[in-house]
């Protein structure tokens, strides 16, 4: 009996050791790969991202999963109890406010935090800005303002006039660009007694834009804007590089209320795994650094939030920010109302 019991203990000890080694190996494997959820690495940007990562030569593998801002947010919330991602790269305050509310993100103060505008970051250090985008009505200078052409618009409301019928495209409210553009208009028409906190004039503006816009929307916005001279479209600040590469003579409308400045944010997913979070912090510190953002900004046209990188790039990217009047946006107000605004737009105007 004693021999049998001793044999059982030896077997049990062996099994525990094997099990522990297996868990250790699994943890090591998980920590050796960093998963980045992003809405920033599509199209031509993918090659730039991969080049930067390969040059850095991290001790862990970096794998990115491309998704829209809203899809990225929904997926992270669905995976809260078993996070697959380690870093969220890109997305607006609207997505990140939801992630903070759901307890998805871990706190971190990046090494480059002193080089960005703290008002664009989370006061509790859940997320930080690494790029600044601007949302515009961008137009082809050969299509507007000339003889027998509609005049160059000065305000969003101008685009609801009959002469702009079928002369521009719109991004929908499913994506970040469209959501922020429409939100900037609705916030400018706040009315506590109006429908969903917006005046009748505000909803009339959205309706008029959809009635005049070309429908359905083209798959390739840039090529459509260049080839058919339809006039213009909603576009982010990255339009400068895209317009230059495709030889589109582009200009941007400058409304009196100002231009929405949209920070592209970055945050760390709270996986509760120290090794994964350590890798995520290393990635975040690297990504927002001056050296990386200079390369990214020059090759993509996206303006760095890191002021040192922005100053080094200079040129058209910096000029666009300096020449654009900032429209003050109440992100908390927009966050509280955006779901109902989006639903109304989709059901009543974008159908």
């Amino acid at each position: 009996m004693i021999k049998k019991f001793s044999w059982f203990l030896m077997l049990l000890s062996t099994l525990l050791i094997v099990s522990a080694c297996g868990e250790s190996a699994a943890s090591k494997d998980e920590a050796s790969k960093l998963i980045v959820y992003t809405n920033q690495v599509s199209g031509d940007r993918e090659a730039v991202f991969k080049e930067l990562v390969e040059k850095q030569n991290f001790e862990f593998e970096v794998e990115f999963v491309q998704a829209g801002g809203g899809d990225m947010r929904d997926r992270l919330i669905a995976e809260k109890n078993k996070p697959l991602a380690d870093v969220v790269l890109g997305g607006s305050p609207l997505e990140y406010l939801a992630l903070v509310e759901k307890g998805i993100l871990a706190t971190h103060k990046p090494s480059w935090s002193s080089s960005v505008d703290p008002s664009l970051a989370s006061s509790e250090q859940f997320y930080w800005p690494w790029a600044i985008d601007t949302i515009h009505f961008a137009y082809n200078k050969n299509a507007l303002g000339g003889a027998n052409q509609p005049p160059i618009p000065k305000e969003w409301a101008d685009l609801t006039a009959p002469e702009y019928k079928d002369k521009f495209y719109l991004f929908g409210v499913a994506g970040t660009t469209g959501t922020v553009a429409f939100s900037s208009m609705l916030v400018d028409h706040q009315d506590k007694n109006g429908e969903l906190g917006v005046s009748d004039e505000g909803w009339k503006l959205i309706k008029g834009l959809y009635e005049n816009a070309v429908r359905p929307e083209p798959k390739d916005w840039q090529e459509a804007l260049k080839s058919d001279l339809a006039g213009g479209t909603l576009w982010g600040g990255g339009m400068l590089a895209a317009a230059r590469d495709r030889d589109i003579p582009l200009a941007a409308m400058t409304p009196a209320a100002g231009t929405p400045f949209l920070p592209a944010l970055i945050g760390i997913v709270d996986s509760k795994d120290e090794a994964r979070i350590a890798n995520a912090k290393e990635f975040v510190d690297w990504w927002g650094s001056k050296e990386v953002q200079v390369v990214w900004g020059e090759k993509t046209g996206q303006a760095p939030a890191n002021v040192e990188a922005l100053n080094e790039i200079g040129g058209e990217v910096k000029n666009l920010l300096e020449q654009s009047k900032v429209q003050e946006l109440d992100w908390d107000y927009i966050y509280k109302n955006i779901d109902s605004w989006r639903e109304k737009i989709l059901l009543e105007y974008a159908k």
Side-chain angles (χ1 to χ4, degrees):
M1 175 68 87
I2 292 175
K3 288 183 178 180
K4 289 182 178 180
F5 184 67
S6 298
W7 175 85
F8 173 75
L9 288 177
M10 289 177 63
L11 177 61
L12 179 61
S13 298
T14 302
L15 290 173
L16 288 174
I17 292 172
V18 171
S19 176
C21 290
E23 290 178 0
S24 176
S27 298
K28 184 176 180 180
D29 289 342
E30 289 178 1
S32 67
K33 178 180 290 188
L34 183 115
I35 306 296
V36 180
Y37 282 6
T38 181
N39 65 350
Q40 297 289 322
V41 190
S42 61
D44 297 338
R45 292 182 177 186
E46 181 177 343
V48 181
F49 180 82
K50 289 183 175 180
E51 178 184 347
L52 285 167
V53 170
E54 289 173 3
K55 184 177 180 181
Q56 179 62 15
N57 193 27
F58 289 108
E59 292 187 359
F60 46 84
E61 179 186 352
V62 177
E63 180 180 314
F64 72 89
V65 177
Q66 173 71 26
D71 292 338
M72 195 163 57
R73 173 203 60 207
D74 294 343
R75 182 167 179 172
L76 286 163
I77 292 174
E79 296 169 355
K80 176 181 178 180
N81 295 328
K82 194 174 181 180
L84 299 179
D86 299 290
V87 172
V88 195
L89 175 64
S92 74
L94 296 176
E95 286 81 43
Y96 283 76
L97 287 170
L99 296 178
V100 171
E101 184 179 33
K102 297 294 184 180
I104 305 296
L105 302 178
T107 59
H108 176 54
K109 186 175 182 179
S111 56
W112 40 267
S113 60
S114 62
S115 298
V116 299
D117 184 348
S119 69
L120 300 176
S122 162
S123 59
E124 298 175 313
Q125 301 183 359
F126 284 112
Y127 55 81
W128 293 84
W130 58 271
I132 304 293
D133 211 349
T134 45
I135 306 300
H136 306 268
F137 175 77
Y139 60 91
N140 187 317
K141 291 187 286 187
N142 291 334
L144 298 179
N148 301 317
Q149 293 177 340
I152 295 172
K154 296 180 179 179
E155 302 288 344
W156 292 106
D158 293 346
L159 295 170
T160 64
E163 58 263 40
Y164 292 97
K165 177 67 175 175
D166 295 331
K167 295 296 183 181
F168 63 91
Y169 303 105
L170 288 176
F171 280 103
V173 289
T176 300
T177 300
T179 295
V180 173
F182 289 120
S183 295
S184 72
M185 301 175 210
L186 293 175
V187 164
D188 204 34
H189 291 85
Q190 288 187 49
D191 182 352
K192 65 179 181 180
N193 296 319
E195 184 180 3
L196 305 178
V198 175
S199 68
D200 290 342
E201 184 181 0
W203 291 119
K204 182 180 179 180
L205 169 61
I206 305 300
K207 179 182 179 181
L209 288 172
Y210 268 99
E211 288 178 343
N212 268 1
V214 174
R215 307 291 298 281
E217 301 88 345
K219 292 183 178 180
D220 189 333
W221 300 85
Q222 299 168 25
E223 191 59 32
L225 186 59
K226 177 182 178 180
S227 61
D228 62 15
L229 298 181
T233 183
L234 294 178
W235 214 335
M239 65 185 182
L240 291 172
R244 181 182 63 240
D245 293 344
R246 296 205 181 191
D247 194 28
I248 306 173
L250 208 63
M253 183 178 74
T254 55
T259 297
F261 274 50
L262 177 65
L265 304 173
I266 191 168
I268 293 173
V269 178
D270 189 5
S271 63
K272 306 295 191 298
D273 184 307
E274 292 183 4
R276 290 175 62 184
I277 290 176
N279 288 345
K281 289 181 178 180
E282 181 181 345
F283 179 89
V284 169
D285 287 349
W286 165 79
W287 179 258
S289 66
K290 171 188 171 182
E291 294 73 21
V292 172
Q293 286 306 305
V294 166
V295 176
W296 181 264
E298 287 179 338
K299 293 190 174 183
T300 67
Q302 196 168 20
N306 187 317
V307 67
E308 295 178 9
L310 181 62
N311 288 336
E312 183 165 325
I313 293 174
E316 60 186 9
V317 174
K318 184 179 180 182
N319 289 340
L320 179 65
L321 291 184
E322 292 179 342
Q323 294 171 8
S324 300
K325 174 185 174 183
V326 181
Q327 180 184 7
E328 297 295 333
L329 296 177
D330 186 341
W331 289 108
D332 289 325
Y333 180 81
I334 294 173
Y335 175 63
K336 292 175 183 176
N337 291 281
I338 189 58
D339 287 339
S340 56
W341 290 350
R342 184 183 286 118
E343 182 179 14
K344 179 177 174 65
I345 291 173
L346 288 172
L347 292 178
E348 297 185 25
Y349 308 134
K351 58 186 179 180

